[in-house]
Amino acid sequence: MEQSYHLVVVGFDEIVANKYLPSIQAAKNAGHIESYSVLDLEYERQAVDARLRELTFKPETVFYLPDPRQRTCWDDPGAFVPILEQLRSQKHQLRIYIATEVKAHEPYLRYCVENQVDSLVEKPVVAPMLDGRFDPNRIEPTMQRLVRAAAARPAQHSVMTLSRYHPIYNERVIDALRDRMLAQEAPLTSFHLRAAGGVWNLHREFEEREDHPYKYGYGMLMHGAYHYVDLAAQCLSLNATVFPSLELEASVSSFGAFPRDQCSRVPVKFAQAFDDDAPGWSSRGENESRFGETDIVSVFRVREVASGRTVTLGTLSFEQTTPSIRHWKDIPPNLYNKNGRTSFVDMEAQLSTLHTVNVQCFDVPRGAGVAVDRIDAFARVSTRTNAALLNDECFNTEETFEGLFHSDSNRRLMQRWLSRSEDRSRLADHLLPMRITQALAVSLRVPGQPVTFRLL
């Protein structure tokens, strides 16, 4: 019989408490987990203690680390390694769930890889920092080192993201595309994905926030957009299934919008209602241009390296300045959906002159006032096919799906990882999505100029 293990949760925010703790408790009841501990930062003690008081399933131990913000390293191995080593000496086996802010992922993940401790890290995998600022050029080298080290030191390392166990994106769309591409020997020739985040932050919140911050030089890409970069990577990699001998490279060109642009993009009368219309909003003055992006729109091409022929054309759009459900100036206490986010995703994948599938998935808020933490999702999947050429096909089809919850796919991944059966979102599987993330982030720094990278 497989032995149970001690789980360490690094970063105990609202998501962990509300979304994943029931899965952790179920794993305890199933005998996978013997107990769990929490590791967080000292300046979060009050908020974490308040969450823990509400729980019936409490951690065995809680550890708080010194505030690292003044040292620009965010998580000092000298502070957390002794705690983890102490737990390893006391427990027969550790597994670690890394749920910190993304800028602190790397040292914890590196510890897990080097010490063969199973890990689950939140998306995106890493956000390398240099002198307190996001350095996108270091994403792939960091990932390569981690992936190589993990291959040499066997343990299970997985990444928490939306689009690996999603009933629509993965099981209804990608699986069907793969089967069709193999049957018809057709490449993916067009791919368009737009994710509208519906996020409304006020200017002061861009400076204040330590969770999903913009002040360290990263924004939408290293926040919610990674779910959909990962989805795009899975779709684009389907060409390797059909044409495994091809060497493909991609070029991407991008434009972005930033916090400094918000006063020109939000109508004045609504900004005034939020006391958010001051032109000199940033205490950083001329350095306000160093904030991370709120929106990014990109166009890309995938081509054969040997022949130079274009295989795939497409667009990627990750925007937060889209319809929100925020109507409060000050964030109400205990509200998870602080900035009123409500998303809409529109994805279309086309196989040459034969077939196209389009999926739209959007949030359906329930309730009124500030009770906006319950949000369902609705999906519509439609296809267009050359039925005159392909037997037993329809020219057009449409299916709708109601009562979805995006978080269900995250929970499925968590449950699989807790039971040691996760196999769709391993660390090595995220090398391509993180490579695309790097290209997009770098292209934002040279607006309109192409950035080329190896795709497959």
Side-chain angles (χ1 to χ4, degrees), residues 72-255:
T72 68
C73 63
W74 288 284
D75 276 288
D76 178 9
F80 72 76
V81 167
I83 294 172
L84 296 180
E85 289 298 297
Q86 174 189 336
L87 289 171
R88 289 181 75 194
S89 69
Q90 295 171 347
K91 309 294 182 181
H92 67 265
Q93 186 180 14
L94 285 190
R95 303 184 91 214
I96 298 179
Y97 170 38
I98 304 166
T100 68
E101 169 58 34
V102 63
K103 62 183 178 292
H105 286 181
E106 185 182 341
Y108 286 104
L109 183 54
R110 189 169 60 248
Y111 171 86
C112 292
V113 168
E114 292 175 352
N115 291 278
Q116 295 180 245
V117 175
D118 289 355
S119 71
L120 174 64
V121 61
E122 279 289 336
K123 57 76 192 167
V125 183
V126 292
M129 309 294 286
L130 181 65
D131 298 327
R133 308 297 303 170
F134 176 47
D135 183 7
N137 286 295
R138 294 174 58 226
I139 289 176
E140 178 156 9
T142 301
M143 283 293 297
Q144 292 280 12
R145 285 195 298 271
L146 289 168
V147 169
R148 284 196 300 268
R153 301 174 180 87
Q156 186 187 74
H157 304 290
S158 294
V159 179
M160 173 60 75
T161 185
L162 176 73
S163 60
R164 293 284 168 163
Y165 290 87
H166 198 281
I168 304 300
Y169 300 139
N170 298 107
E171 295 164 13
R172 176 60 183 82
V173 176
I174 293 179
D175 287 351
L177 270 176
R178 182 185 298 107
D179 292 344
R180 185 179 287 273
M181 290 172 69
L182 288 169
Q184 297 168 359
E185 299 180 357
L188 179 72
T189 54
S190 177
F191 183 82
H192 302 275
L193 190 153
R194 180 175 186 243
V199 171
W200 191 350
N201 288 299
L202 307 187
H203 283 110
R204 58 183 169 82
E205 292 164 1
F206 289 123
E207 292 196 287
E208 293 170 355
R209 294 189 66 170
E210 288 293 334
D211 62 319
H212 291 73
Y214 297 78
K215 59 187 176 182
Y216 300 112
Y218 59 86
M220 177 62 165
L221 273 174
M222 306 306 288
H223 297 161
Y226 184 77
H227 291 303
Y228 304 105
V229 174
D230 183 36
L231 178 59
Q234 292 175 71
C235 291
L236 293 174
S237 65
L238 290 174
N239 277 331
T241 302
V242 183
F243 306 106
S245 63
L246 285 184
E247 183 181 359
L248 300 174
E249 69 175 15
S251 295
V252 61
S253 177
S254 305
F255 289 95

Side-chain angles (χ1 to χ4, degrees), residues 300-315:
F300 70 88
R301 175 185 72 160
V302 177
R303 71 182 187 100
E304 299 176 8
V305 173
S307 68
R309 296 188 183 114
T310 295
V311 177
T312 311
L313 294 172
T315 55

